[in-house]
Amino acid sequence: MFQSLLHEKFLIKQAETLCKVRWFIFIFSIFVWGVAWLAGLHVQRYWWLYAGALTLAVATNTVSCFLYRRYHEHQPHQRQNVRPLLLWHCFHVLSDLIIILVAIHFTGGMHSVGVCLLVTYVAGLALVFSRPIVVFGLTTLAAILLSILFLGYGTHLWEPWYVISTQPYSFHNILFFIIALDGILYITAALLMHQTRQLRTLWERAERQRIFFHRLNELNHITIQDDAQKVVQETARHLQGILGADGVYILYWRDHEPALDPVAAVGNHHESIEWFLRSGRQSLDTQPALWALLRQREDPLFIEDIQESPLLPKDLKQHFQRHRAALLLPLREPADDSLQGLVILAYDRPLRLGDDEMQWAAQAAHTTSILLSRAFNSQSMRHHLELLQELADDITGITQTLQTRTLAVAIVDGATRLLKASGGALLSYYGNTRTTMLDCLYARGLSPEHTQVLLDHQTEVFNTLLAFGEPMMQIPDIQASEASLPQPLREALLEENIRSLAAFLVPAPRGPMGILMLYWDHARVLCSKEIAVAQLFAARAGTVLYNAYLYELMRTEARTDALTGLPNRRALDEALEKEWKRSRRYNHPFAVAMIDIDNFKAINDQYGHPMGDLTLKAVASVLQKSTRETDFVGRYGGDEFLLILPETDKERALCVMHKLEARFAEERFDDILPAGLHIHITYGVAAYPEDATDIQTLIQLADERLYARKPENLR
């Protein structure tokens, strides 16, 4: 994966090492020059030439060391343009060869120990350049330059520059010496080049390991951010660099998703990335054989040819046409070793992976599994804390009222806000927890027609909920779950664009208060934390709803006469006060009628108090049936009743009471009263503002007029 880059790095590293060796060679050259000076080889005459050559060598070596250091300082793990550096290195080699040949000439020629220095330098070149053609070319250049130098001795070409008196060499001796020395150069280069290739292989392997673990360490230190999606995207980019892929595609199983979900994709092919993020899950879900294989494997799965693999779906092959090979990395949950995700590394070139690459890929998959698990667990924990905070806020909201309808709205709105639902409904047994019929207290996001369909099939919904064996049920995809709901209800929900449904029992001290239903316009799976929070909310809602029911019951009982079921004296006073204020504000009339049962004491004395109670109930029943919806009738006390007639003057009130009196005269109560026993009433009427403008005076006048109308024998 890093072959070209590593070859350049190896070349630069060896060249840098050769620069360090040159400093020792320079010291050795100065030592040889000193020995030649002391031996009287007449080098004093050409000392300036020898010194100039050494100065040139020191200058070029200093420049080389500076360039190599800059190479290492600037982006050491990325590809750089090293061609100028390599050209300089070739120039440096050429200058070194010329300097060594000058040293050989001025230190004895064919008898100089500088010949050994040349052989050593060629060996160094073989250690730097591992490619045969380069080593062969440089060795040939050194052999040619050496041959030119020695042939010049045979032709007296260098005679003016001799620094030592010696007999001319014969051409045959020179030729033999050249052939022998060139052979030594080639043999030395060949032997060391073979060793260099082995050394380069070992070095490149170690360097690949170093780079891999360096980048893997960077991956392992990715900061867990608030958004897990950013962590996944950054992880994908790191994996692309670590394993040299042209595209990285990650699927991961998140709590609120029903299957592996595409969470990140990076690479050079935008159309492949867009398709993967949009349709990758649906495509891979059609390959159960692939998932079965990945669940069994712990090591990466290498696919040499994507288009020929039977494990990959056709549409993936179609959108991955630019990719040639793929490496699949199963991601496993560190806690239970279950399959938690999948990384697809795609390559645009044919690929051959060795044992090292497969082992590194497995290590990268393990690190990625830990990192993504940590990121999504952290996000899930933050989400849970947010849910708990919202739960506390919503519970505070629903405990601020005991009005049933207001409370129902607060419960549904709080639950939908808590779980980010599109809508919800509260079906309640409110008022009688022993009945099996539910009433919709409030529905949000559901039309009245479809709400009625829901109520019509409430028995099936309740039985489905009980079949789950838990106080909740969820249907992640209504469209795909045909058997979970009655067909009419399922069709009604789909018409409302509802795709997912969850229902929670609303518990109360004396049994369930009803069902809290939530729905979404997309497929949705609630995670365990969301379910727990929703159940806590439903339990609290049930308690508050039950308290509201008790409050309404107590409030009703406090304003209702226990015997007749009519409003009692307190309720009458409140209603009378309200009507008086309304009439005074708008200058409208109203009337009150005091009603008394004739001969009620005689009924109690003759038939007993139980019969008197039946008589009161019968009178209350007739009054309720004979009055308008806007009228208000209640038991004033004893056998007296009070009727409030809004928007009614005195004349009309007398007409109403006359009809009511006739009604009692015609009514027969043979089913509840003894035969021959009839009920008669006496009444008194007072009107506002005709008779009085205050409540007390009105009641007093009505009572006085009642007394005046009653026969003397019944007073």
Side-chain angles (χ1 to χ4, degrees):
M1 299 177 185
F2 315 103
Q3 194 68 28
S4 178
L5 176 62
L6 291 179
H7 177 74
E8 294 173 357
K9 289 176 65 65
F10 179 77
L11 178 62
I12 299 301
K13 180 179 181 300
Q14 293 297 89
E16 187 178 11
T17 303
L18 187 60
C19 282
K20 297 176 181 178
V21 174
R22 284 193 184 102
W23 294 116
F24 295 99
I25 295 176
F26 297 153
I27 295 174
F28 178 75
S29 300
I30 294 174
F31 173 75
V32 171
W33 186 28
V35 172
W37 187 297
L38 295 175
L41 296 180
H42 306 287
V43 295
Q44 297 91 336
R45 188 173 58 175
Y46 301 106
W47 66 269
W48 55 270
L49 184 61
Y50 198 81
L54 289 178
T55 302
L56 176 62
V58 170
T60 55
N61 204 50
T62 302
V63 173
S64 296
C65 290
F66 173 75
L67 293 177
Y68 296 145
R69 182 178 301 174
R70 286 198 61 185
Y71 171 82
H72 289 297
E73 289 176 353
H74 290 79
Q75 301 176 346
H77 301 299
Q78 299 182 13
R79 180 181 295 276
Q80 302 181 55
N81 185 12
V82 297
R83 177 167 295 183
L85 192 60
L86 295 178
L87 291 176
W88 169 259
H89 185 65
C90 292
F91 169 76
H92 196 178
V93 169
L94 180 61
S95 65
D96 286 345
L97 290 175
I98 294 175
I99 292 171
I100 291 175
L101 290 175
V102 170
I104 290 174
H105 175 71
F106 286 105
T107 56
M110 297 178 62
H111 299 284
S112 173
V113 294
V115 174
C116 298
L117 182 62
L118 178 63
V119 174
T120 303
Y121 188 77
V122 170
L125 293 179
L127 290 175
V128 174
F129 301 98
S130 58
R131 292 183 179 179
I133 186 171
V134 177
V135 175
F136 177 77
L138 293 177
T139 304
T140 301
L141 177 62
I144 291 174
L145 293 176
L146 185 65
S147 300
I148 293 174
L149 177 64
F150 286 174
L151 288 175
Y153 292 147
T155 59
H156 305 284
L157 180 64
W158 314 117
E159 185 173 358
W161 302 90
Y162 284 168
V163 296
I164 180 172
S165 300
T166 181
Q167 295 294 327
Y169 298 102
S170 65
F171 185 79
H172 294 287
N173 290 338
I174 293 175
L175 186 61
F176 175 77
F177 194 79
I178 290 174
I179 293 174
L181 191 56
D182 288 349
I184 292 173
L185 292 177
Y186 281 111
I187 292 173
T188 301
L191 291 176
L192 290 179
M193 183 181 63
H194 176 70
Q195 297 296 326
T196 302
R197 298 191 60 158
Q198 293 182 347
L199 177 63
R200 192 193 74 180
T201 301
L202 295 176
W203 182 87
E204 287 180 352
R205 180 180 180 184
E207 185 67 9
R208 284 199 301 270
Q209 288 181 345
R210 188 187 68 81
I211 294 175
F212 170 78
F213 285 111
H214 174 78
R215 292 178 174 175
L216 191 65
N217 185 59
E218 291 180 348
L219 173 63
N220 196 39
H221 285 81
I222 291 179
T223 304
I224 301 300
Q225 304 171 8
D226 292 339
D227 187 2
Q229 188 63 39
K230 295 181 180 179
V231 176
V232 179
Q233 197 71 18
E234 189 173 352
T235 301
R237 286 193 291 268
H238 275 76
L239 286 176
Q240 185 180 22
I242 291 173
L243 299 175
D246 297 295
V248 178
Y249 308 89
I250 301 180
L251 298 104
Y252 202 77
W253 200 315
R254 297 187 284 192
D255 274 346
H256 60 278
E257 295 294 340
L260 286 172
D261 186 46
V263 292
V266 297
N268 303 322
H269 309 309
H270 297 292
E271 62 278 4
S272 299
I273 293 175
E274 292 178 359
W275 173 85
F276 175 79
L277 295 176
R278 183 181 64 255
S279 307
R281 181 174 71 184
Q282 294 83 349
S283 175
L284 292 171
D285 281 346
T286 62
Q287 298 298 112
L290 173 63
W291 295 114
L293 180 61
L294 291 174
R295 287 187 177 92
Q296 296 174 359
R297 293 176 64 98
E298 294 186 358
D299 53 333
L301 175 63
F302 177 59
I303 298 178
E304 188 173 349
D305 191 340
I306 292 178
Q307 303 301 324
E308 299 296 330
S309 174
L311 295 174
L312 301 179
K314 293 182 180 179
D315 50 352
L316 184 141
K317 297 177 182 179
Q318 180 181 356
H319 290 87
F320 277 29
Q321 288 183 354
R322 295 189 181 182
H323 297 311
R324 297 286 300 276
L327 184 62
L328 308 185
L329 308 182
L331 303 180
R332 300 194 172 275
E333 178 63 33
D336 55 10
D337 201 40
S338 60
L339 184 64
Q340 194 68 18
L342 175 66
V343 176
I344 302 176
L345 301 170
Y347 299 87
D348 295 347
R349 59 191 182 279
L351 194 63
R352 296 290 186 274
L353 297 180
D355 294 339
D356 287 344
E357 284 81 1
M358 293 296 289
Q359 184 178 0
W360 297 343
Q363 291 176 337
H366 178 69
T367 301
T368 302
S369 299
I370 296 175
L371 181 63
L372 296 190
S373 176
R374 187 172 56 183
F376 282 109
N377 286 339
S378 177
Q379 179 173 284
S380 177
M381 184 176 298
R382 286 192 298 271
H383 178 57
H384 190 201
L385 292 176
E386 291 173 359
L387 283 177
L388 292 177
Q389 182 61 46
E390 292 179 4
L391 174 64
D393 296 339
D394 290 335
I395 287 178
T396 302
I398 65 176
T399 54
Q400 292 179 350
T401 180
L402 287 176
Q403 297 294 327
T404 308
R405 298 298 172 179
T406 305
L407 181 59
V409 173
I411 290 174
V412 173
D413 289 348
T416 54
R417 182 171 56 252
L418 190 64
L419 296 182
K420 308 297 186 294
S422 305
L426 180 60
L427 309 181
S428 176
Y429 302 115
Y430 191 85
N432 188 357
T433 59
R434 291 173 294 179
T435 183
T436 57
M437 297 305 294
L438 293 164
D439 182 29
C440 183
L441 294 184
Y442 177 68
R444 175 183 174 187
L446 200 63
S447 65
E449 296 79 7
H450 293 94
T451 302
Q452 187 58 47
V453 174
L454 178 61
L455 292 175
D456 293 341
H457 294 85
Q458 59 180 262
T459 302
E460 292 93 330
V461 174
F462 188 74
N463 291 337
T464 304
L465 179 58
L466 293 179
F468 275 75
E470 296 182 1
M472 70 83 56
M473 74 168 183
Q474 61 174 326
I475 303 175
D477 193 343
I478 296 176
Q479 192 170 7
S481 305
E482 298 184 1
S484 300
L485 292 172
Q487 188 63 23
L489 178 58
R490 178 175 174 272
E491 292 177 355
L493 293 175
L494 291 176
E495 287 179 6
E496 292 281 328
N497 196 30
I498 295 174
R499 287 287 306 276
S500 181
L501 173 70
F504 300 87
L505 278 179
V506 180
R510 294 188 178 181
M513 287 293 293
I515 299 175
L516 175 61
M517 303 188 68
L518 300 174
Y519 30 84
W520 294 262
D521 57 4
H522 58 277
R524 180 78 156 84
V525 175
L526 297 178
C527 68
S528 58
K529 296 182 179 64
E530 290 174 325
I531 292 174
V533 169
Q535 288 177 336
L536 285 174
F537 180 80
R540 185 58 179 166
T543 302
V544 176
L545 198 61
Y546 184 71
N547 290 338
Y549 161 68
L550 294 179
Y551 171 76
E552 291 283 347
L553 183 62
M554 294 175 61
R555 189 169 179 269
T556 302
E557 290 178 352
R559 301 174 71 254
T560 304
D561 179 61
L563 179 61
T564 62
L566 293 177
N568 59 14
R569 177 67 177 271
R570 174 183 294 180
L572 280 171
D573 290 341
E574 292 176 357
L576 192 58
E577 180 76 17
K578 182 178 179 182
E579 183 60 29
W580 175 74
K581 290 181 178 179
R582 189 188 70 82
S583 298
R584 188 178 63 172
R585 179 177 182 182
Y586 297 106
N587 197 23
H588 289 180
F590 79 94
V592 295
M594 188 70 74
I595 303 170
D596 180 73
I597 302 175
D598 293 343
N599 208 19
F600 181 71
K601 184 177 183 303
I603 295 175
N604 278 333
D605 294 342
Q606 183 177 355
Y607 297 101
H609 288 283
M611 187 58 63
D613 292 343
L614 290 176
T615 302
L616 290 173
K617 290 181 180 179
V619 172
S621 177
V622 173
L623 289 175
Q624 284 180 318
K625 295 177 182 178
S626 304
T627 54
R628 301 171 300 180
E629 290 185 2
T630 56
D631 297 338
F632 192 90
V633 61
R635 186 181 179 187
Y636 194 75
D639 61 339
E640 292 182 332
F641 298 86
L642 183 68
L643 178 60
I644 303 174
L645 302 169
E647 303 291 337
T648 305
D649 56 18
K650 185 177 181 180
E651 182 179 356
R652 292 176 59 191
L654 289 172
C655 292
V656 171
M657 295 309 300
H658 180 70
K659 293 179 181 179
L660 186 61
E661 184 180 25
R663 171 75 182 271
F664 273 99
E666 297 173 356
E667 191 76 27
R668 293 291 179 267
F669 302 97
D670 296 339
D671 54 339
I672 59 174
L673 297 178
L677 179 61
H678 299 284
I679 299 176
H680 298 279
I681 64 171
T682 302
Y683 61 87
V685 175
Y688 172 92
E690 183 177 348
D691 292 326
T693 57
D694 62 280
I695 296 175
Q696 289 183 351
T697 305
L698 282 173
I699 298 298
Q700 183 178 354
L701 286 174
D703 190 53
E704 291 175 355
R705 290 170 181 175
L706 181 150
Y707 185 77
R709 286 179 57 86
K710 188 179 284 287
E712 292 185 3
N713 61 335
L714 298 178
R715 291 179 181 176

